[in-house]
């Protein structure tokens, strides 16, 4: 059967008439055979898959105890307040992941027939690399499907999703049941094994033929040919290090309480080992990137990125964007957002999150040794607090404008002062933003930005969590360092302290260390779309999922707690996301996760 592939997106944009869509011009159609001689067309299947990767900043914090939004129509707000169903699921990745996997499967079935280059050695390497990318991306999409849709069905089975590793033509059997969760994890690992077999750990140029890695020497002895395919020009494409990171994410998910099951053999030791491989590649605990806390605002680091390079903190990122102010337009307080009259203050951090930041001495604010003063609650806090959150009395923007968030502020920034624009909690997000972006009407400008996909700090935190569960706080397993060692390094970087008495106090208690590690993960990864999923894989008590979001109204020296900014309406079955109802209706072998309607 000759497969016809139509790209209708451009036609939809260019032509308003239905005739053009229903009767496409011949040049709008490409046959599969053309893939073999048209390299750009063939590579387009991979490009489409890359474009389907779920966004890193998805703002799912709106549905947690970390934040709310003043965008009252936002899907995550509706999800958190009672509208989450199998028919209305803003967290669904089902369609985009399976669509991407269709393209990847078609690519993998045909890439060996493509003439990738006139030079036969380069052609073999290009095919090898792109097949590695395709396998790796397929593993990535399976991870997202597992995280967002895996769970326990009504019959008590722990299930993953249908495993589709062949291109589905119109005659294919689409009524495919969900595979076991364990089978899906193994499929992720299998695809990542292939990716690591074919791909370099990172794309770097070499200086001579002797530096060609052994596994590629049977394809070429010319280092220029190697560099052409596997060198720096490939940066930001899928590589072996990215595969290791997805493996760690998958192992951490599989070992977590929500998925611990007699039919799931995943262990915390597995996750610790996979995370350690990345830490060791980076250079060990001491190599934790010094500038990682403010990866989003390290101006010279960001502005000087070139040749696809990554900052020290970044494993994988999206392309840089110059003269950009998208995040600032959406999240600056209104008083410094003069050039953007249609939006501001979308992400409102919660008092719940503010209270999670310890004091600068490392003690939680509810510990008697912390020195916390409720009459001056922002004084002497963990430095990350001021880096990540704009609070009453702090400064923001190129002009260092003092932000007043109280109900009597009269600046446009006060609580609910401008509904839809002003904060609801008394706080604005600072993380993800560059304060050197100017949105005032005079001299408005954007700056260079990038969106991360994977950070080293996440991997260090993954090791700490898994190692603590597998070996206890100070146990090292097969490594030279413990969960305690990693958390000590993370807190030293954040707090700037050599002595950490609170860490020393809890290192002898696995449960207390667990809470500290989870809190450090909350702080280090806040506003990066982790907490919504972390709370679920940890299977925290339902009261924690439903913790009411709080705020703080500050007027002068009077601090008035806002104890009910927004309530949550999660049910016990909502630790696992649903399978889309439309799929359940179409395919009778597809089991829904328990209790979803």
């Amino acid at each position: 059967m000759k497969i016809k592939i139509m790209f209708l997106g451009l036609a939809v944009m260019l032509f308003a008439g239905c005739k053009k869509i229903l009767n496409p011009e011949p040049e709008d159609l490409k046959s599969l055979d053309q893939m073999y001689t048209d390299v750009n067309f063939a590579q387009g299947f991979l490009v489409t898959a890359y474009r389907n990767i779920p966004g890193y900043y998805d703002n799912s914090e709106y549905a947690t105890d970390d934040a709310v939004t003043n965008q009252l129509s936002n899907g995550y707000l509706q999800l958190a307040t009672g509208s989450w169903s199998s028919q209305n699921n803003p967290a669904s990745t089902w369609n985009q992941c399976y669509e991407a996997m269709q393209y990847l499967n078609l690519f993998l079935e045909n890439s060996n027939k493509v003439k990738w280059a006139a030079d036969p050695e380069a052609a073999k390497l290009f095919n090898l690399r792109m097949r590695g990318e395709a396998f790796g991306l397929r593993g990535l999409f399976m991870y997202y499907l597992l995280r967002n849709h895996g769970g326990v069905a009504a019959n008590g089975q722990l299930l993953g999703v249908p495993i589709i590793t062949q291109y589905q033509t119109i005659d294919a059997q689409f009524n495919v049941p969900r595979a076991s969760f364990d089978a899906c994890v193994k499929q992720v690992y299998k695809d990542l094994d292939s990716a690591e077999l074919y791909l370099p750990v990172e794309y770097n140029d070499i200086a001579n033929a002797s530096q060609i890695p052994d596994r590629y020497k049977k394809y070429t002895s010319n280092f220029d040919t190697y560099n052409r395919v596997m060198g720096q020009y490939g940066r930001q494409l899928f590589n072996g290090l990215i595969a290791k990171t997805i493996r760690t994410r998958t192992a951490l998910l599989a070992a977590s309480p929500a998925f611990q099951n007699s039919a799931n053999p995943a262990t915390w030791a597995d996750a610790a080992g996979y995370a350690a491989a990345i830490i060791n590649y980076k250079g060990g605990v001491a190599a934790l990137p010094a500038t990682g806390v403010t990866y989003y605002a390290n101006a010279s680091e960001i502005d000087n990125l070139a040749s696809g390079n990554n900052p020290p903190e970044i494993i994988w990122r999206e392309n840089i964007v110059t003269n950009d102010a998208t995040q600032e337009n959406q999240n600056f307080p209104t008083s410094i957002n003069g050039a953007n009259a249609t939006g501001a203050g979308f992400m409102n951090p919660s008092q719940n999150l503010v209270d999670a930041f310890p004091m600068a001495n490392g003690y939680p604010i509810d510990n008697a040794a912390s020195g916390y003063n409720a009459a001056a609650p922002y004084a002497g806090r963990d430095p990350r607090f001021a880096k990540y959150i704009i609070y009453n009395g702090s400064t923001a923007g190129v002009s260092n404008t003092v932000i007043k968030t109280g109900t009597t502020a009269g600046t446009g920034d006060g609580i609910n002062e401008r509904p839809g624009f002003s904060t609801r909690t008394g706080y604005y997000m600072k993380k993800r933003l560059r304060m050197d972006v100017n949105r005032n009407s005079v001299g408005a400008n954007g700056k260079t930005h990038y969106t991360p996909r994977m950070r080293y700090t996440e991997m260090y935190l993954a090791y700490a969590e898994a190692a603590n569960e597998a070996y206890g706080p100070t146990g090292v397993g097969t490594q030279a360092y413990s969960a305690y060692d990693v958390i000590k390094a993370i807190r030293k970087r954040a707090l700037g302290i050599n002595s950490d008495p609170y860490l020393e106090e809890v290192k002898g208690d696995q449960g207390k260390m667990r809470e500290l590690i989870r809190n450090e993960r909350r702080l280090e990864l806040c506003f990066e779309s982790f907490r919504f999923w972390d709370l679920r894989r940890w299977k925290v008590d339902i009261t924690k999922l439903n913790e009411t979001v709080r705020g703080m109204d500050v007027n002068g020296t009077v601090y008035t707690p806002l104890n009910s900014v927004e309530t949550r309406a999660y049910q016990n079955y909502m630790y696992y996301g649903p399978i889309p109802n439309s799929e359940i209706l179409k395919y009778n072998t597809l089991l829904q996760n328990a209790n979803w309607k």
Side-chain angles (χ1 to χ4, degrees):
M1 175 183 177
K2 179 174 280 190
I3 304 170
K4 293 287 186 179
I5 303 166
M6 292 197 309
F7 296 96
L8 294 178
L10 186 59
V12 171
M13 289 189 289
L14 295 179
F15 303 106
C18 293
K19 183 176 179 181
K20 287 291 185 183
I21 298 174
L22 298 176
N23 300 289
E25 298 293 341
E27 59 266 26
D28 291 333
L29 298 175
K30 285 184 180 287
S31 70
L32 184 60
D33 292 344
Q34 288 175 267
M35 175 182 181
Y36 308 143
T37 56
D38 186 341
V39 171
N40 290 329
F41 178 53
Q43 197 169 13
F45 294 104
L46 274 181
V47 171
T48 299
Y50 276 108
R51 288 173 176 166
N52 271 31
I53 297 172
Y56 189 76
Y57 294 144
D58 69 8
N59 295 328
S60 54
E61 286 81 9
Y62 297 162
T64 75
D65 53 354
D66 273 3
V68 298
T69 182
N70 57 36
Q71 296 176 282
L72 300 184
S73 62
N74 180 270
Y76 277 107
L77 182 152
Q78 295 176 359
L79 176 155
T81 53
S83 297
W84 197 7
S85 72
S86 64
Q87 301 173 64
N88 177 34
N89 182 13
S92 176
T93 59
W94 190 275
N95 290 335
Q96 73 186 97
C97 288
Y98 276 116
E99 176 187 320
M101 291 164 76
Q102 269 280 78
Y103 281 100
L104 293 169
N105 290 337
L106 183 61
F107 178 88
L108 286 167
E109 289 173 13
N110 291 278
S111 76
N112 290 331
K113 302 175 186 177
V114 177
K115 184 178 180 180
W116 291 109
D119 175 0
E121 291 186 350
K124 290 177 182 178
L125 283 177
F126 273 123
N127 186 47
L128 196 70
R129 191 198 76 198
M130 283 188 262
R131 288 184 69 79
E133 291 176 64
F135 279 118
L137 287 168
R138 194 168 71 181
L140 172 68
F141 287 114
M142 178 59 81
Y143 160 75
Y144 279 113
L145 285 167
L146 267 185
R147 186 193 71 171
N148 293 33
H149 301 284
V152 177
N155 62 6
Q157 286 183 283
L158 177 62
L159 297 176
V161 296
I163 296 175
I164 309 295
T165 58
Q166 293 182 321
Y167 178 71
Q168 293 179 300
T169 69
I170 195 170
D171 298 319
Q173 171 57 267
F174 291 95
N175 196 5
V176 180
R178 295 170 65 183
S180 71
F181 185 88
D182 177 52
C184 290
V185 169
K186 286 182 169 62
Q187 181 61 46
V188 173
Y189 293 165
K190 182 179 179 181
D191 280 341
L192 297 179
D193 286 342
S194 295
E196 291 195 67
L197 178 65
Y198 295 153
L199 299 173
V201 179
E202 293 190 89
Y203 295 104
N204 293 311
D205 284 352
I206 58 176
N208 54 65
S210 67
Q211 295 177 336
I212 297 174
D214 289 342
R215 58 196 165 123
Y216 298 116
K217 286 179 179 177
K218 64 181 177 180
Y219 301 103
T220 187
S221 59
N222 187 320
F223 77 92
D224 284 328
T225 302
Y226 176 87
N227 287 343
R228 176 185 174 188
V229 183
M230 302 291 186
Q232 67 173 344
Y233 295 116
R235 288 174 180 166
Q236 303 317 322
L237 298 177
F238 201 102
N239 63 27
L241 186 59
I242 295 165
K244 293 179 188 297
T245 304
I246 298 166
R247 191 185 300 274
T248 302
R249 285 181 174 179
T250 303
L252 195 71
L253 180 76
S256 295
F259 299 99
Q260 287 179 355
N261 182 284
S262 59
N264 172 23
T267 68
W268 287 111
D270 292 338
Y274 295 145
I278 298 169
I279 294 173
N280 295 339
Y281 174 78
K282 185 64 172 173
V285 176
L288 178 72
T291 58
V293 170
T294 51
Y295 71 89
Y296 55 93
N298 300 327
S300 61
E301 194 175 82
I302 298 169
D303 292 343
N304 292 311
L305 284 176
S307 302
N309 288 325
N310 283 329
E313 171 64 17
I314 300 302
I315 295 172
W316 195 19
R317 62 173 172 82
E318 295 183 24
N319 292 332
I320 60 173
V321 182
T322 59
N323 194 29
D324 177 57
T326 303
Q327 290 284 330
E328 290 76 18
N329 283 344
Q330 293 175 349
N331 293 291
F332 267 174
T334 56
S335 63
I336 59 171
N337 213 26
N340 187 51
T342 59
F346 284 3
M347 181 79 76
N348 302 167
S350 66
Q351 186 66 43
N352 315 53
L353 175 59
V354 170
D355 289 347
F357 286 91
M359 298 299 286
N361 61 12
Y363 281 99
I365 64 171
D366 60 357
N367 189 295
S370 70
Y372 174 73
N373 181 2
Y378 308 141
R381 299 295 291 274
D382 178 335
R384 289 173 294 190
F385 169 56
K387 290 179 171 72
Y388 293 168
I389 294 176
I390 297 172
Y391 55 91
N392 185 77
S394 61
T395 60
V398 291
S399 59
N400 289 318
T401 301
V402 177
I403 306 301
K404 297 293 186 181
T405 65
T407 50
T408 64
T411 61
D413 297 331
I415 294 172
N416 296 324
E417 194 171 343
R418 291 186 62 198
F421 298 88
S422 303
T423 179
R424 296 169 57 202
T425 61
Y427 301 101
Y428 293 89
M429 181 181 72
K430 189 174 185 179
K431 194 178 187 182
R432 296 171 23 183
L433 313 182
R434 286 187 60 163
M435 291 297 112
D436 54 351
V437 166
N438 182 12
R439 303 316 298 153
N440 293 322
S441 56
V442 178
N445 69 285
K447 290 290 183 180
T448 300
H449 291 73
Y450 68 84
T451 298
R453 285 193 172 117
M454 296 170 177
R455 298 207 287 129
Y456 276 106
T457 296
E458 179 198 343
M459 294 296 100
Y460 280 77
L461 288 163
Y463 177 82
E465 179 181 344
N468 182 60
E469 300 298 337
Y471 314 120
T474 57
V476 297
T478 60
Q479 305 303 319
Y481 44 86
S482 65
Y484 161 81
D485 294 322
V486 170
I487 292 301
K488 184 176 182 178
I490 288 173
R491 282 165 64 89
K492 181 178 179 180
R493 180 182 72 174
L495 301 168
I497 55 176
N498 291 313
S499 174
D500 192 342
Y502 183 70
L503 176 61
E504 298 302 319
E505 180 182 313
V506 305
K507 73 177 184 180
D509 186 309
Q510 186 183 45
K512 290 180 179 179
M513 180 63 87
R514 177 185 300 123
E515 292 308 308
L516 179 59
I517 291 169
R518 289 182 178 184
N519 196 64
E520 285 297 315
R521 183 176 175 91
R522 180 183 191 178
L523 302 182
E524 288 281 342
L525 302 180
C526 66
F527 312 126
E528 296 179 57
S529 310
F530 284 90
R531 187 156 179 82
F532 181 82
W533 303 108
D534 283 344
L535 290 172
R536 282 163 175 75
R537 67 178 179 85
W538 292 331
K539 209 165 188 181
V540 299
D541 190 85
I542 190 66
T543 58
K544 183 61 178 175
L545 282 186
N546 283 326
E547 185 173 308
T548 299
V549 177
R550 297 175 284 111
M552 183 69 76
D553 184 9
V554 186
N555 294 291
T557 59
V558 178
Y559 293 82
T560 305
L562 303 176
N563 292 322
S564 186
V565 174
E566 189 172 279
T567 57
R568 301 290 182 235
Y570 294 118
Q571 304 297 314
N572 279 306
Y573 60 87
M574 292 180 177
Y575 291 102
Y576 311 106
I579 307 298
N581 186 62
S582 58
E583 301 299 301
I584 298 294
L585 293 176
K586 284 187 289 187
Y587 307 120
N588 61 7
T589 66
L590 204 58
L591 297 180
Q592 180 61 276
N593 285 331
N595 297 313
W596 281 102
K597 306 296 184 183

